[in-house]
Amino acid sequence: MEKEKKIHLKRELGYFWVTNFLIVNIIGAGIFVSPKGVLEHSSMNVGLSLCIWALCAVLSITSTLCAAEIGITFPCSGAHYYFIRKCFGPIAAFLRLWTTLFTTAGILASQALLLAEYSIQPFYPGCSVPKLPMKCMALAMLWIVGILNSRGVKEGTWLQTLSTALKVGILGFISLSGVFMLMRGEIANVERLQNAFDAEFPDASQIIEAVFQGYFAFSGGGCFTGVAGELKKPRETIPKCIFTAFPVVTVLYLLVNISYMTVLTPREILSSDAVAITWTERVIPQLTWFMPFAISASLFSNLLINALGSSRVLHLAGQQGQLPLLFNTLNIHSSPLIAVLAIVIMGSIAIIVTNLVELINYLYFVISIWTTLQMIGLLKLRYQEPHLHRPYKVFMPYIFITMAITLSMVLIPLVKSPKMHYI
């Protein structure tokens, strides 16, 4: 008699999928909607702002390589949760799980509302989008994401590939247009970049703020720890994907910013809430109506990926006994259906009842705390378990660099605007 087949999470995600996964997760709304933060805190010094973008890319790669050690050493889905449990015990792991429930709900809700706003905005020219249709659209998008996730990781592969192509296509179009305008040599376009460092230099505190703005635009590189248990050959796949995705994203970000600054003055960039759309209005007005739809469609996969990674954390917590055993169950598509359903319901509640304007800041404040603890955990294991099998070992200074950045993101909000919400 044949043994009964056991349903489990399958290792079926290879190099191409994980590279797409990284690119999709790193390229978020920031580069399309509001890249003005770096320029503003650089005192409108164009040359310095471009240098800060390059620096942020390097800093983000260092933090992602730290996450790579966690994902490769402990190649299970929800590796970041498992790592916290191993380093700091079940109480810290439960707190990590508890905050994951709420941070994920808030992140999913904010992303769904952003997508809904961009999808509906063309139908309300010259005025703000009404809340009711925006929330209904956001709920519909979130539940579509839930259905796709319940069908297994392969079900959304085509959508992720399409989203990657659309994102890279939009950024590539903006980049090449800027390069073309520079090559034409029109005085109005070239002179903005000829004396790029002529503006006054900001003080150290402003430069730090600019770095935080740029670093945020590159965030999301460690997302593969959520699905590490479903990757083929994690030791080989993860580093190759990191060094493929980050150079692509860095070049695109730099060229897009150069293109923005070729077409728009620094003051025009600072006065715009959606720089990509302002750029389109100036260069190709005929496509102004299309750009919001394209941005919304390209960002849909970010919503899909966040739901995917977070459901794996709940699934692992069910295995570890910190959630009911029901969360450990898988459906016939090898998807943790109960975990997916819980994430979608929590996100739906957040969409309906939450004011997300300030919530986003608190969410990333909490995420920075856990990233700091992960870096402390890496150092702790290096000291306590020096002989632990580590197929990949990150360069020690990278851990301290990442810890310094994330610790600053925790301490600066507490010092500058202490609020009970942070406590």
Side-chain angles (χ1 to χ4, degrees):
M1 181 191 282
E2 292 185 9
K3 291 184 178 179
E4 186 179 349
K5 290 185 178 179
K6 185 179 180 181
I7 299 176
H8 55 84
L9 294 175
K10 301 174 182 177
R11 291 192 179 276
E12 54 185 2
L13 307 178
Y15 167 77
F16 180 73
W17 191 93
V18 181
T19 301
N20 282 340
F21 186 74
L22 273 175
I23 292 174
V24 163
N25 206 55
I26 295 169
I27 301 177
I31 195 64
F32 294 115
V33 180
S34 183
K36 61 185 181 183
V38 176
L39 187 62
E40 179 181 359
H41 292 291
S42 301
S43 299
M44 294 191 290
N45 189 310
V46 172
L48 178 62
S49 69
L50 292 175
C51 292
I52 288 174
W53 278 104
L55 173 63
C56 291
V58 174
L59 293 175
S60 187
I61 290 174
T62 62
S63 63
T64 304
L65 290 175
C66 294
E69 179 174 329
I70 296 173
I72 293 171
T73 306
F74 307 102
C76 60
S77 291
H80 49 295
Y81 162 81
Y82 178 85
F83 182 74
I84 290 292
R85 183 184 176 93
K86 180 174 178 62
C87 292
F88 303 105
I91 294 177
F94 183 77
L95 290 173
R96 178 71 173 95
L97 171 67
W98 181 253
T99 55
T100 295
L101 283 171
F102 290 96
T103 56
T104 299
I107 290 170
L108 291 179
S110 61
Q111 288 179 332
L113 287 168
L114 178 66
L115 297 183
E117 184 174 4
Y118 268 80
S119 300
I120 299 174
Q121 183 64 62
F123 299 103
Y124 295 90
C127 62
S128 58
V129 177
K131 287 187 177 181
L132 182 60
M134 183 171 69
K135 290 197 172 190
C136 289
M137 176 68 79
L139 287 170
M141 288 182 173
L142 184 57
W143 280 92
I144 289 171
V145 161
I147 293 170
L148 287 172
N149 270 305
S150 70
R151 303 285 297 177
V153 293
K154 283 290 185 181
E155 191 71 22
T157 299
W158 64 272
L159 180 62
Q160 182 181 308
T161 303
L162 181 63
S163 176
T164 303
L166 187 56
K167 281 184 179 181
V168 174
I170 294 171
L171 294 179
F173 172 71
I174 294 174
S175 301
L176 293 176
S177 299
V179 170
F180 175 73
M181 284 183 283
L182 284 176
M183 289 177 64
R184 284 197 311 183
E186 291 186 10
I187 296 176
N189 295 328
V190 176
E191 66 182 4
R192 295 192 183 103
L193 297 175
Q194 278 182 334
N195 303 309
F197 291 93
D198 280 0
E200 65 175 285
F201 272 71
D203 57 36
S205 63
Q206 285 181 302
I207 292 176
I208 292 173
E209 290 281 359
V211 170
F212 287 161
Q213 293 284 331
Y215 185 77
F216 175 75
F218 281 98
S219 63
C223 57
F224 51 78
T225 57
V227 292
E230 294 160 86
L231 304 185
K232 298 176 183 176
K233 300 178 180 177
R235 169 64 185 91
E236 301 171 12
T237 302
I238 290 175
K240 284 198 299 185
C241 293
I242 290 172
F243 287 108
T244 300
F246 270 96
V248 171
V249 174
T250 302
V251 170
L252 282 174
Y253 275 18
L254 287 173
L255 289 177
V256 165
N257 276 281
I258 289 171
S259 182
Y260 287 155
M261 294 168 187
T262 301
V263 175
L264 305 170
T265 65
R267 293 194 179 280
E268 286 173 331
I269 293 175
L270 295 187
S271 63
S272 172
D273 291 325
V275 182
I277 295 176
T278 305
W279 181 93
T280 307
E281 289 174 351
R282 185 68 58 84
V283 178
I284 310 175
Q286 297 85 350
L287 292 180
T288 303
W289 65 273
F290 172 74
M291 187 60 77
F293 289 120
I295 293 174
S296 181
S298 70
L299 295 176
F300 181 78
S301 58
N302 289 73
L303 191 62
L304 185 70
I305 285 172
N306 275 315
L308 174 72
S310 302
S311 65
R312 270 54 184 174
V313 175
L314 301 191
H315 172 70
L316 182 61
Q319 287 182 340
Q320 299 290 325
Q322 292 200 327
L323 280 178
L325 190 61
L326 196 61
F327 284 86
N328 186 33
T329 58
L330 300 173
N331 64 10
I332 59 173
H333 303 288
S334 296
S335 173
L337 178 61
I338 302 301
V340 171
L341 190 61
I343 289 293
V344 171
I345 290 173
M346 292 281 289
S348 300
I349 294 171
I351 288 173
I352 295 169
V353 304
T354 309
N355 178 7
L356 294 170
V357 176
E358 288 190 339
L359 179 61
I360 293 173
N361 290 331
Y362 302 136
L363 293 177
Y364 286 101
F365 173 80
V366 172
I367 291 169
S368 297
I369 292 175
W370 288 114
T371 305
T372 303
L373 284 176
Q374 286 177 1
M375 297 306 104
I376 294 173
L378 282 174
L379 295 174
K380 186 171 182 279
L381 284 189
R382 293 279 180 94
Y383 174 73
Q384 292 183 341
E385 300 185 33
H387 302 298
L388 177 70
H389 178 62
R390 296 177 175 87
Y392 172 79
K393 194 173 182 180
V394 72
F395 188 40
M396 183 77 79
Y398 291 177
I399 299 176
F400 289 106
I401 291 170
T402 303
M403 189 188 301
I405 295 171
T406 53
L407 195 58
S408 299
M409 290 180 174
V410 172
L411 295 177
I412 288 176
L414 288 175
V415 173
K416 291 186 66 176
S417 56
K419 295 179 181 179
M420 278 302 297
H421 300 76
Y422 291 126
I423 307 301

